[in-house]
Amino acid sequence: MIRITVVTITYNAEKVLRRTLDSVYAQTYEGVEHLIVDGASKDNTLQMAEVYKEKSDASGNGHKVIILSEPDHGIYDAMNKGLTQASGDYIVYMNAGDFFPQTDTLEQIVQHCQLNELPSDDLPGVLYGNTDIVDSDGHYLHPRQHQPPQQLTWRSFRKGMLVCHQAFYARTDIAKNQQYDTRYRFSADVDWCIRVMKETERMGLKLCNTQMVVANYTEEGTTTQNHRASLLERYRVMAHHYGPVQTFLLHCWFVVRAVFN
C-alpha cells in the first residue's frame, strides 16, 4: 500500500488546529503517517496533539501519528524536520487551520493516479490538484485565484505559484534530496516546489493531475511590510530559476494585465 505522510507545522495554534486534526483523523485511507512538528508551543497545541494521537492510536484506522515538539528557526526549518522524519511514499504539508475537503480525499488521490497499481520506480514525482480558500472559521470563501494547468511542469511557475503548497504531493525520495532553503523567509516553498519538479523531469517521471480540489487553505492576513518583502523574495526565486530577463518581462506583463483587467 502506498503511504502518504501528512506534515502539520504548529506553533501556538490551538484556535485552528482542531479542524486539521479532525480532517486527517477522518481520512478513510489507511496508509497515512501524520507528523506534527511543533515549535515548542506555549498554549494548548501540544496537549491537543497528544489527545489526538491517543484517539487515533486507539481507533484502529491504520494511521500512524508522530509528534515532535522543540524550538525551531522558523517554518521552513520545521518543514525540513518533517521532511527528514517522513517515511511515506509521498509527502504533503497540511498546516494548522488547513484541511482536506472530503473524508476520502487521500483515497481518491491514490485511486485517480493509480498509485497502488504502479511499480515504485514508475510512481509520479508529483501529485497535484486544486485548492479552495476558507476563512478563519473554516467556511468556504472561493476557489484559489491561481489554478493548476492541465499539464504541470516546473516551467509553469513562471506565471506564479499555480499549485498551492498544500495541494502539492511530492514523492518523498525526491523531496528528501531537496531540502527547503531556509535563507528564504517567505518563498522557500515556491523554490522547493520548482526544484522538486525539475528533479522529476530529470528522472523522466510524470506529474499526476488529480482533477479535484485536494485542500482547503485558510486565508491569512499579512502586514503590508511582509507582503512587500514576500513579493520581492519571490521575484528573486523566479529570477534564479527562470533567468532575470524573462522574469522581468513576465512581471511587466503582470502589471499591464492588472491595469487593463
Side-chain angles (χ1 to χ4, degrees):
M1 173 184 286
I2 291 296
R3 293 191 61 81
I4 297 176
T5 297
V6 180
V7 180
T8 299
I9 308 300
T10 62
Y11 181 70
N12 293 343
E14 64 178 6
K15 293 182 180 179
V16 295
L17 181 59
R18 173 66 61 194
R19 62 174 174 263
T20 306
L21 300 181
D22 288 347
S23 173
V24 179
Y25 177 83
Q27 287 302 298
T28 55
Y29 190 68
E30 293 186 358
V32 175
E33 175 184 65
H34 192 188
L35 300 180
I36 301 170
V37 183
D38 180 66
S41 290
K42 298 175 176 60
D43 62 1
N44 290 320
T45 296
L46 190 56
Q47 292 89 328
M48 291 174 64
E50 293 287 358
V51 170
Y52 159 71
K53 175 176 168 51
E54 292 177 6
K55 177 182 176 182
S56 185
D57 289 349
S59 70
N61 62 6
H63 297 184
K64 179 181 179 182
V65 179
I66 300 172
I67 302 170
L68 173 66
S69 183
E70 62 184 23
D72 55 51
H73 299 291
I75 188 170
Y76 296 121
D77 178 48
M79 287 181 175
N80 278 336
K81 291 180 181 181
L83 186 52
T84 300
Q85 293 285 329
S87 65
D89 298 284
Y90 286 91
I91 184 169
V92 65
Y93 290 84
M94 192 66 63
N95 292 336
D98 305 325
F99 55 100
F100 296 107
Q102 305 291 338
T103 59
D104 64 345
T105 295
L106 293 179
E107 192 166 354
Q108 288 190 58
I109 291 172
V110 171
Q111 290 176 355
H112 179 85
C113 295
Q114 300 179 316
L115 301 182
N116 283 319
E117 302 171 23
L118 295 171
S120 58
D121 290 345
D122 290 338
L123 289 171
V126 174
L127 322 172
Y128 66 97
N130 293 55
T131 305
D132 283 341
I133 306 300
V134 300
D135 63 17
S136 59
D137 295 319
H139 299 138
Y140 172 83
L141 292 175
H142 52 79
R144 185 171 181 262
Q145 180 180 4
H146 290 303
Q147 295 291 311
Q150 189 64 30
Q151 298 294 331
L152 180 72
T153 75
W154 69 269
R155 298 170 185 83
S156 303
F157 275 31
R158 290 177 299 178
K159 300 178 181 179
M161 194 173 185
L162 300 186
V163 178
C164 181
H165 194 212
Q166 284 80 349
F168 187 95
Y169 292 66
R171 223 175 80 169
T172 307
D173 59 341
I174 297 174
K176 281 181 178 289
N177 293 321
Q178 306 293 333
Q179 296 274 308
Y180 289 86
D181 189 338
T182 55
R183 292 174 296 180
Y184 294 123
R185 292 183 58 204
F186 308 106
S187 302
D189 53 344
V190 183
D191 170 69
W192 180 77
C193 288
I194 294 172
R195 286 189 286 114
V196 167
M197 289 188 287
K198 279 185 172 181
E199 183 63 12
T200 294
E201 182 179 280
R202 188 193 70 78
M203 295 174 66
L205 298 172
K206 296 179 180 179
L207 292 83
C208 181
N209 186 347
T210 64
Q211 309 286 350
M212 56 183 277
V213 176
V214 297
N216 287 335
Y217 174 76
T218 301
E219 189 172 56
E220 298 173 342
T222 58
T223 65
T224 302
Q225 181 180 1
N226 280 350
H227 182 62
R228 183 174 182 273
S230 175
L231 290 176
L232 290 172
E233 187 176 89
R234 184 166 296 196
Y235 186 93
R236 293 199 300 272
V237 169
M238 304 274 282
H240 171 74
H241 287 287
Y242 305 116
V245 174
Q246 186 170 126
T247 299
F248 175 75
L249 293 175
L250 278 169
H251 279 73
C252 288
W253 164 241
F254 294 158
V255 172
V256 170
R257 184 178 62 185
V259 169
F260 288 98
N261 280 351

